[in-house]
Amino acid sequence: MYEYLWRKLPGPPVVKWLLTAVILVALFLLLMEVVFPWVSAQMPYNDVAV
């Protein structure tokens, strides 16, 4: 699977490494800003009653 993705990225290896880094950073930011806050709001530990 990774070989398929590597072959689909354009350019020489240096450009592929830069594109991979940009994609990973974008994925990380998407998870931290959108996905994890949404999941946290869905968790039952927010409804604590003592």
Side-chain angles (χ1 to χ4, degrees), residues 17-30:
W17 281 111
L18 288 173
L19 284 173
T20 302
V22 168
I23 291 169
L24 288 175
V25 167
L27 179 64
F28 175 79
L29 290 175
L30 176 72

Side-chain angles (χ1 to χ4, degrees), residues 24-43:
L24 288 175
V25 167
L27 179 64
F28 175 79
L29 290 175
L30 176 72
L31 287 172
M32 288 302 200
E33 296 294 326
V34 178
V35 177
F36 293 154
W38 176 80
V39 169
S40 179
Q42 304 303 316
M43 289 296 182

Side-chain angles (χ1 to χ4, degrees), residues 4 6 8-9 13-14 20-21 23-24 27 31-32 36-37 41 43 46-50:
Y4 172 78
W6 187 256
K8 290 299 176 185
L9 288 173
V14 174
T20 302
I23 291 169
L24 288 175
L27 179 64
L31 287 172
M32 288 302 200
F36 293 154
M43 289 296 182
N46 287 336
D47 300 328
V48 176
V50 177

